[in-house]
Amino acid sequence: MTTAPHRRRAPALRAARRRHDRESSGHAAPSAQVAGALADALLTTDWRPADMIAVVRSVAGGRPVRARRLVDAVLLAYPRAPADRPRELRRFLAGLPTTPRTSVRRAVIRHRFVVPTRVVRLRWGAPEIGDLAELAAFLGLDGDALDWFADRREINRQARDEQLRHYRYAWLPHRLIEAPKPRLRTLQRRLLDQILSVVPVHDGVHGFVAGRGTHTFAQLHAGSPVLVTMDLRAFFSSITAARIYGLFRGIGYPEPVAHALTALTTTRTPAHVLRAAPDPFLAALLRRPHLPQGAPTSPALANLCAFRLDRRLSGLAGRFGLRYARYADDLAFSGTISSGRIDRLVTLAGEIVHDEGFRIHPGKTRIRSRSQRQSLTGLVVNAVPAVPREDYDRLRAILHNAATHGLAAANRDGHPDFAAHLAGRVAWMSHRHPSRAAKLHRLLDRALA
């Protein structure tokens, strides 16, 4: 009596094994594989129903596929050929319902047709790159080198050997610098100069934008009755690879090209580096594919991914009669606003930031009236943007010391090129401040004499 149930189950088990053997031996294919073959074949046609039906019948054998119904379903969803979206078409075909017998689940692949992806519509005059071969040529690489730098196998994340990594890592108090090595940096610089630079950013962005900077950011808010500042936590690390992929698709690049561009500009931090993370929140962000802080492409990509954030915060500022601008992870609102409405502004801004996938840094929201010191990006903005007086006095003392005792004696922080460092500090503090500029340049000339 104990063996009867097993006898009843035996035929079903044998039938399941036979189905598995047929599929694994190539007589049948999983629906995803058949859908992929059909999608590739359909994209070789001129997207006319007759040609599409013919290619479906040529590709799919085994259990009959209702080619006309399948093609009708495709044309209803895609009136134009999605030549830049083969993966999306494959997913669509694999997900077709079985009831109209358009399913490809039990069909067999008899022939394969392959056609390179191509650009359908590019925006902003970005260079045309239709497939991976064209991307490799654009970067001056061969296919293997492109795979290596895109790190498709995640060797960079798993490697212990420094020579196998694409990035060097250095922890600062609250952030991780992930600096690409020279060859990858060169590739990223090309992507920045020839692709990202042509995509417009929001008018309220002042960081890492040609013709704008800390002084234009500060000037916008100078002399305001009230200044409200907020800080985005882990700005670069919060931007995921999925958002970068969406950005490159939005520019108009086909799916494979967008995936490769995303892989070239994002990274996942190795586990042994994450052990030194200052907090679990940052470690969780760095563990997934993200923008590396230290790559030349990251500031531009971050600005572009934050476009909707900037648009919404700018609209919020308009509702309160305020001005809005952002410099990297610093948000600023300024204008005339009653104390009773400030809390509402801060709350709504925080909700928008969270909704857009970012976080407000706790404890770094500042509200300053005109009677208090208002500062942005190291500049006091109560009137004309200027470096704080104590910083100016400190630089004067260093220049006097250098002029009296020599550059080496005055270089207490060990700058490798102290003369260039001093010249940069003088230029920074002299910006739109003629009286300071004259005094500092006289001292600098004496120190360098």
Side-chain angles (χ1 to χ4, degrees), residues 154-435:
E154 289 203 336
I155 294 175
N156 180 72
R157 176 171 171 77
Q158 301 171 14
R160 292 280 184 169
D161 187 345
E162 172 66 29
Q163 293 182 345
L164 297 177
R165 298 183 196 149
H166 293 313
Y167 291 86
R168 294 187 175 94
Y169 304 93
W171 279 104
L172 299 181
H174 301 290
R175 66 190 65 188
L176 175 65
I177 300 301
E178 298 177 287
K181 291 182 178 178
R183 289 191 66 191
L184 180 57
R185 176 176 287 273
T186 299
L187 299 178
Q188 291 174 340
R189 177 64 65 179
R190 184 163 191 178
L191 297 178
L192 172 64
D193 293 341
Q194 299 195 31
I195 295 179
L196 301 178
S197 63
V198 305
V199 185
V201 300
H202 191 273
D203 291 340
V205 178
H206 289 258
F208 317 111
V209 179
R212 308 178 203 172
T214 53
H215 285 87
T216 60
F217 178 58
Q219 183 62 51
L220 183 69
H221 301 285
S224 297
V226 176
L227 175 66
V228 179
T229 58
M230 309 173 79
D231 187 82
L232 297 178
R233 186 180 183 187
F235 180 47
F236 291 104
S237 307
S238 297
I239 299 176
T240 64
R243 297 178 74 166
I244 302 301
Y245 171 75
L247 172 66
F248 283 121
R249 287 287 297 121
I251 295 173
Y253 289 114
E255 289 171 334
V257 175
H259 276 293
L261 290 172
T262 300
L264 289 168
T265 53
T266 61
T267 188
R268 293 178 65 194
T269 308
H272 70 278
V273 177
L274 291 175
R275 295 191 189 104
D279 62 78
F281 172 78
L282 181 57
L285 295 179
L286 295 171
R287 191 172 290 114
R288 64 187 185 180
H290 60 275
L291 281 184
Q293 185 164 353
T297 45
S298 291
L301 286 169
N303 279 342
L304 295 174
C305 287
F307 185 92
R308 202 170 79 159
L309 170 70
D310 294 319
R311 185 175 61 185
R312 293 181 66 183
L313 290 178
S314 179
L316 177 68
R319 285 171 52 190
F320 284 82
L322 304 175
R323 292 177 295 274
Y324 162 78
R326 177 176 60 82
Y327 186 94
D329 54 1
D330 294 327
L331 313 178
F333 301 86
S334 65
T336 302
I337 183 172
S338 64
S339 57
R341 301 185 71 201
I342 291 177
D343 288 343
R344 181 63 175 162
L345 170 71
V346 171
T347 299
L348 291 175
E351 291 175 356
I352 290 174
V353 167
H354 185 275
D355 191 41
E356 292 299 323
F358 298 97
R359 297 290 185 277
I360 295 294
H361 201 298
K364 287 197 173 182
T365 298
R366 300 283 185 269
I367 302 165
R368 295 287 184 267
S369 65
R370 188 175 286 164
S371 61
Q372 302 168 299
R373 173 182 280 191
Q374 299 173 336
S375 61
L376 284 174
T377 58
L379 298 171
V380 177
V381 295
N382 291 71
V384 177
V387 175
R389 178 74 192 192
E390 56 269 25
D391 291 351
Y392 168 70
D393 291 340
R394 189 179 302 112
L395 178 60
R396 285 186 60 192
I398 292 172
L399 290 170
H400 178 76
N401 188 25
T404 305
H405 302 289
L407 289 174
N411 188 13
R412 296 179 180 177
D413 293 330
H415 294 283
D417 190 344
F418 191 48
H421 169 74
L422 289 178
R425 294 293 295 166
V426 167
W428 163 254
M429 295 198 184
S430 300
H431 186 79
R432 294 190 177 181
H433 207 302
S435 61

